[in-house]
Every structure is written in structure tokens, then in C-alpha cells.
Amino acid sequence: MRLTIVGCSGSFPGPDSAASCYLVEAEGHRVLLDLGSGALGPLARIMSIYDVEAVLVSHLHADHFFDLCGLYVARRYHPDGRLPRIPVYGPAGIARRLCEAYGLDRRPGMDEEFDLREWQEGTAYDVGPLRVTVARVTHPVESFAMRIEHEGRVLAYSGDTGASDALVEIARDADIFLCESGFQESADNPAGLHLSGREAGEHATRAGARRLVLTHVPPWNDPMRALAEAGPAYEGSVEMARPGATYEL
């Protein structure tokens, strides 16, 4: 597998990055983990947006799904005619939420552009050559972490979450653990919302993950602080996600 960071800004796009979007490639197949606000443009600099074969949505906050609206327009109104449907996986209610975001009636909504499928807790899915397992994690809305496997290699993605035993299991022995660190360490951080760099490191340690890549730092936070907080909690390789970075698994 190859992982490319398309966007990694937390909560909303920042001056240097779109919101969450990660490209996974294997055997010529191209799958997106999230397609958050502002991500479609940077994606187009990496690949043709018409070559996206599936989108896996962790949860229905705008910084993780909103540019599906742009992809809908691109596929529906292409000058050569409407393009075939592609699968889009997400939490319960994803079809309705997309219609609300774009101002569409529920029928047909985006059903003619996307084959919309709802995640089921603990279920594994075959997405092209990838085996994808999801688990519900801790967030104010239904949110899923993902474990992506291919030929014995494992990529784990946290989505958005607070402290979560389920996240540890999803990331068990992962070659790369792409983990959110939306909070800085503070006693005032609300529970069940995001992880700090230290907490991301602790989850990676408990999971036995081989490499930790921190992501989802909002523009008002210093990513280097998240990195510094993670270091004492995790002895493996740890770095910050940055747009355009690629990782071979």
C-alpha cells in the first residue's frame, strides 16, 4: 500500500492544509479515507479526481466529508456525461446528511452518483484489494476508526476520537498508525472528543504500532507541540502528517 496525505488540518482547512483526506493506493486502486472541506482541490494536484474508486468516511463532521459535495458535482455534470457510481461508506444517515449539505431532496439525492453504504460496527469490508475493518470510537457523533489491510501490511486510521479501547484494537500491530491529535495537553480538555499528542502516543504504545503519524491538528494549535507531547509516550518513530507526504507500507 501507499498512503498519501492530501489534507490533515483539524476542524477546518488551514493556511497550509485542507481538512482531513488521505489517499490509499494498492494494485492500481485508489481509495480515500475521508474527503473533508477544502480537500478536492489538493487531491486534483495529486491525481485525477475521476479516478477515485471509493471514499471511506469516518464521521459526518464537515471537515471529514464535506467535499463529497464537490465530487458529486464533478461526477454528475461531467461534460462527457454522468459517470458511473462509486461506493461511499460512512456512518448511519450519510445519504440524508449529504442531501442536507447540498440542498437536495432525499430521492434521488446523490444515489445516482454514489453507492452509499452504512458502516456496521466490527464488520470487515472488501474495498477493491483492501480489507477494511471499522470500529466505533468516542466522539459526539457516530465516528469510526479504520483498519486497512493488504498483503500482510496494516494501516490504522483513528478518525476523530477521545480515549478509546476500540482504537487500540483497530491499531494493533499496525505498520502505520495515522492518529488524530486535535488537543494540546490541558486539564480543561473535554472528555470524549479528541486526543492530545500524549494520548495518541499512549494509544500507539498500547497497540504496539510500529510507526505513528500525528494528524488533525487545528490551525490554532502548534503541531510541534503535539509532536513533543507524543514523544515521551511512544518509543517508536513518530512524525507529523503534512500535505503531500507519502508512506510505503
Side-chain angles (χ1 to χ4, degrees):
M1 288 185 287
R2 173 184 293 168
L3 167 67
T4 300
I5 309 299
V6 180
C8 54
S9 183
S11 301
F12 58 96
D16 300 315
S17 177
S20 293
C21 182
Y22 311 95
L23 169 64
V24 179
E25 299 172 273
E27 298 181 21
H29 292 260
R30 298 176 178 91
V31 174
L32 298 180
L33 314 182
D34 287 332
L35 185 53
S37 42
L40 199 60
L43 178 66
R45 292 197 292 268
I46 296 170
M47 59 174 283
S48 169
I49 62 172
Y50 301 105
D51 290 338
V52 172
E53 293 169 72
V55 183
L56 315 182
V57 178
S58 63
H59 67 291
L60 297 175
H61 280 157
D63 59 320
H64 292 260
F65 87 95
F66 212 74
D67 268 25
L68 276 166
C69 293
L71 188 60
Y72 157 77
V73 172
R75 299 189 71 84
R76 179 176 179 82
Y77 298 108
H78 191 280
D80 294 335
R82 180 182 291 165
L83 301 179
R85 293 199 307 168
I86 60 171
V88 174
Y89 295 80
I94 185 171
R96 173 187 53 79
R97 186 71 181 89
L98 282 167
C99 290
E100 291 172 348
Y102 199 72
L104 298 173
D105 293 334
R106 176 61 194 91
R107 300 295 180 189
M110 297 187 183
D111 292 349
E112 295 174 344
E113 291 70 38
F114 301 142
D115 179 7
L116 294 157
R117 310 175 186 184
E118 296 183 350
W119 295 125
Q120 300 296 319
E121 170 76 20
T123 301
Y125 302 83
D126 291 319
V127 182
L130 306 174
R131 187 69 166 172
V132 180
T133 305
V134 297
R136 179 84 181 263
V137 288
T138 306
H139 204 54
V141 300
E142 187 175 74
S143 186
F144 290 89
M146 305 176 200
R147 180 181 180 89
I148 297 96
E149 298 176 83
H150 178 64
E151 294 187 344
R153 308 294 281 178
V154 178
L155 165 66
Y157 171 47
S158 67
D160 279 9
T161 183
S164 169
D165 291 339
L167 178 61
V168 173
E169 293 309 311
I170 279 286
R172 181 72 61 195
D173 298 323
D175 295 286
I176 292 180
F177 182 19
L178 182 63
C179 187
E180 74 117 285
S181 52
F183 279 158
Q184 295 180 341
E185 275 295 296
S186 170
D188 296 328
N189 288 341
L193 187 57
H194 292 296
L195 299 173
S196 67
R198 175 186 62 80
E199 290 172 318
E202 289 173 348
H203 281 68
T205 295
R206 290 174 59 197
R210 296 176 179 84
R211 188 175 187 180
L212 176 61
V213 179
L214 300 176
T215 191
H216 199 272
V217 175
W220 51 62
N221 283 352
D222 180 1
M224 292 302 100
R225 178 169 169 179
L227 193 65
E229 290 175 354
Y234 177 68
E235 294 184 353
S237 172
V238 57
E239 61 194 272
M240 293 302 309
R242 56 179 179 79
T246 61
Y247 304 85
E248 301 288 342
L249 288 85

